[in-house]
Amino acid sequence: MKIGVYPGSFDPITNGHLDIIERGSKVFDKLIVGVLVNVDKKGLFDYPERVELIQRVTAKYKNVEVRCFEGLLIDFMKKEEASVILKGLRAFSDFEYEFQMALMNNKLDPEVETVFMMTSAQYSYLSSSAVKQVAKFGGRIEGLVPDEVIDDVYSKILSL
Ligand code: PNS
């Protein structure tokens, strides 16, 4: 069974993430969305909330699971018996950072491959931080995050 892991912060999940998850679910027998728990960085949503939002919008993909992980991605891969890291590439500017991470992960465990999917063109400008900024200043986030998540983003920002 080919198990892939799609790691990230997902604070919150965007339509760009969902596009990669949907396409990734067709490539792997099982795709695990791994939400990195970063104790040094306070995000908008806490980790159980991020997981719940992702589960809500991926429920229709029966081979997609969502879990949190702490520490090294490569250790999480081992624990989940996964062999492929799935990453989305938006723009040339993503390349250097992703290249470095892929090489580091390969150094840590040469058995693990990193596979990149080009983000669909309509989401190439999209990021969780841009979504948060737009929502914070009252802009519209329709089309940027899944419809089922829009109200959660606005109410979370208002509650701050
Ligand atoms: O959505 P993000 O914040 O760009 O995702 C970054 C993520 C979670 C993929 C990356 O920070 C990560 O894999 N962190 C785990 C720590 C790790 O394994 N580091 C070694 C590779 S450089």
Side-chain angles (χ1 to χ4, degrees), residues 94-149:
D94 281 344
F95 181 80
E96 198 171 331
Y97 173 66
E98 294 295 346
F99 186 54
Q100 185 190 18
M101 267 202 293
L103 290 181
M104 179 59 83
N105 284 324
N106 183 261
K107 172 84 183 149
L108 294 172
D109 186 348
E111 294 297 311
V112 167
E113 279 297 342
T114 301
V115 166
F116 292 96
M117 260 183 195
M118 303 311 295
T119 296
S120 298
Q122 76 260 39
Y123 302 128
S124 59
Y125 61 93
L126 199 49
S127 69
S128 297
S129 33
V131 166
K132 284 183 275 194
Q133 212 166 82
V134 171
K136 187 174 160 191
F137 295 108
R140 294 172 66 93
I141 57 169
E142 284 81 0
L144 307 184
V145 298
D147 288 345
E148 307 94 304
V149 165

Side-chain angles (χ1 to χ4, degrees), residues 6-11 17 34-38 41 69-75 85-87 90 97-98 100-106 108 128:
Y6 178 44
S9 304
F10 304 104
D11 186 35
H17 295 133
V35 180
L36 174 72
V37 176
N38 184 348
K41 202 169 146 194
F69 73 100
E70 259 178 276
L72 289 178
L73 174 59
I74 226 74
D75 292 334
I85 299 168
L86 175 65
K87 302 300 292 283
R90 285 167 301 189
Y97 173 66
E98 294 295 346
Q100 185 190 18
M101 267 202 293
L103 290 181
M104 179 59 83
N105 284 324
N106 183 261
L108 294 172
S128 297

Side-chain angles (χ1 to χ4, degrees), residues 16-31:
H17 295 133
L18 192 55
D19 171 55
I20 300 289
I21 294 170
E22 181 180 1
R23 289 158 57 202
S25 72
K26 295 177 190 152
V27 172
F28 297 102
D29 298 310
K30 179 161 103 176
L31 180 64

